[in-house]
Amino acid sequence: MTTDLTEITVIGDDDTGLIAQVTSLLFERGINIEDLDQAVREGLFRMTMSVDTTDMVCTESTLRRDLHDLGDDLGVDVQVRFPTERETQRIAVLVTKESHCLEALFEAWANDELGAEIGVVIGNHDDLEPLAEQYGVPFHDVGDDGGQPDEDELLDLLAEYDADLVVLARYMRILSPNVVFRYEDRIINIHPSLLPAFPGAKAYRQAKEEGVRIAGVTAHYVTTDLDQGPIITQRAFDVPDDATVDELRRRGQPLEAEALLEAVKLHLNDAVAAHRGRTSLRDGADSGDYQLGLSQAAADANPDRPLDGIGQAVAEGESAEESADD
C-alpha cells in the first residue's frame, strides 16, 4: 500500500454481504477503491483496502465514524488509517529472550537510521526489559509463566501505542490470524534459515541434520501460513564440516540482525512492495542502497560462464569462418 492512499481494514466473523456493504458506503461518499484483498482463516474474515479519499464528499472524522458505526452494525472491527496519520511511523518490537536483533534495532534508532520511532517492546518473557529500559522504551510482558502470550492484551498494546509496523525480533511464538489480519503487510519476522527451506522451529538444527553447505537467514512479511510470507531480505553463510548447531547460531545471529534491520528500513522507506506472495522494489527505489541477498563481493565471485548455447554458437561461428576460408 502506498503512503498517499487511505488504508481500511475490516476484521470479524465471516458473513455474507460484508464486502458489499462496506464498498457501498465508500461509493456513496465519493471514495475510489484502488486495491482490495480479502481472506478467511479459521472462520475469521479479513478485508484490506487502499482507497483514494481525495475527492470524498465528507470529512475524515465523518468517514471514520460512519465506518465504525457500520462495523458495529455488522459485528466487525473497522480500522482507518489516513495518510497524514502515518507521517511519523511507530514500531512495536515483539521479543522473547534473544537480544541481538532488538539491540540492532535500538542502535539504528539511536543513530537516526530508521526515520521512525520505536514506541514499545512487548515480550512473552521479561528477560529483555532491562535492554528496553536502557533506551527509555516502555516494555510490557504479555506472557504467562510458560511464555504463552495473551493476544488480547497484545492487541490492546499495539493499538495503545499506535503501531504502524510490528517487528518480530526473534519472537518465539506464532501469531494467530486475529493479530496477523489486523496488521497485514505490516509485520516483519526474521527466520534463521534460507526460506522456504527449514521453516518452523529449530531451523539451525534442521540445517545441520540435512548436511547443507550453505545456511542463512530470511526476513519476511508474516502471513497466516507459518514462515511462508513474502521474502524481503536474505543472508547466507558457509557451514563447515564440523560445525555444531551452536556454531551455526553464532554465525547466523549477526546476519539475522542485519537482514531484519535491512527489511525494516525497506518497509519504512516504502521501498518494497508485496504482491501475490513476492516482494519487489518500488519504482524509484535504488537497489544500490540495499543488500537484498548476497553481498556484491559474493555475487562478483560467482562464475558467469559457461551458459547453454554460448559454446555451441562460438563453435558454429568458427566452423562458418573455416568454410568461408575454404
Side-chain angles (χ1 to χ4, degrees), residues 5 9 17 26 38 45 56 60 65 85 88 97 120 124 141 154 158 176 183 201 208 214 217 235 240 266 274 323:
L5 296 175
T9 304
L26 298 176
Q38 60 88 27
F45 170 84
M56 69 179 178
E60 291 183 355
R65 184 194 65 224
E85 297 171 334
T88 300
K97 295 183 177 183
V120 64
N124 63 317
D141 179 6
L154 170 60
L158 293 177
S176 74
Y183 292 88
K208 169 65 176 176
I214 297 174
V217 305
R235 297 291 187 273
L266 280 158
S323 296

Side-chain angles (χ1 to χ4, degrees), residues 221-235:
Y221 284 115
V222 173
T223 66
T224 53
D225 296 312
L226 179 62
D227 295 332
Q228 295 183 42
I231 291 170
I232 308 173
T233 58
Q234 293 185 301
R235 297 291 187 273

Side-chain angles (χ1 to χ4, degrees), residues 290-324:
Y290 305 99
Q291 182 187 325
L292 303 181
L294 291 176
S295 67
Q296 190 59 52
D300 290 343
N302 283 330
D304 59 4
R305 63 169 304 279
L307 297 173
D308 282 352
I310 291 182
Q312 180 181 352
V314 171
E316 290 175 349
E318 292 175 349
S319 177
E321 290 177 1
E322 290 173 0
S323 296

Side-chain angles (χ1 to χ4, degrees), residues 11 15 50 65 100 111 117 132 148 156 166 172 218 229 240 259 268 270 276 280 290 298 305:
I11 305 285
D15 199 0
S50 298
R65 184 194 65 224
H100 55 287
N111 292 327
E117 174 189 358
Q148 184 64 33
D156 288 343
V166 180
M172 309 301 286
T218 302
L268 294 173
D270 199 31
R276 294 184 177 179
S280 59
Y290 305 99
R305 63 169 304 279

Side-chain angles (χ1 to χ4, degrees), residues 176-224:
S176 74
N178 196 34
V179 177
V180 174
F181 277 173
R182 281 174 165 78
Y183 292 88
E184 191 83 5
D185 295 332
R186 292 191 287 138
I187 307 177
I188 295 177
N189 180 50
I190 184 67
H191 182 76
S193 81
L194 289 172
L195 291 174
F198 312 133
K202 302 184 185 302
Y204 287 132
R205 182 171 298 279
Q206 292 183 63
K208 169 65 176 176
E209 291 175 349
E210 292 297 329
V212 299
R213 292 294 185 183
I214 297 174
V217 305
T218 302
H220 65 97
Y221 284 115
V222 173
T223 66
T224 53

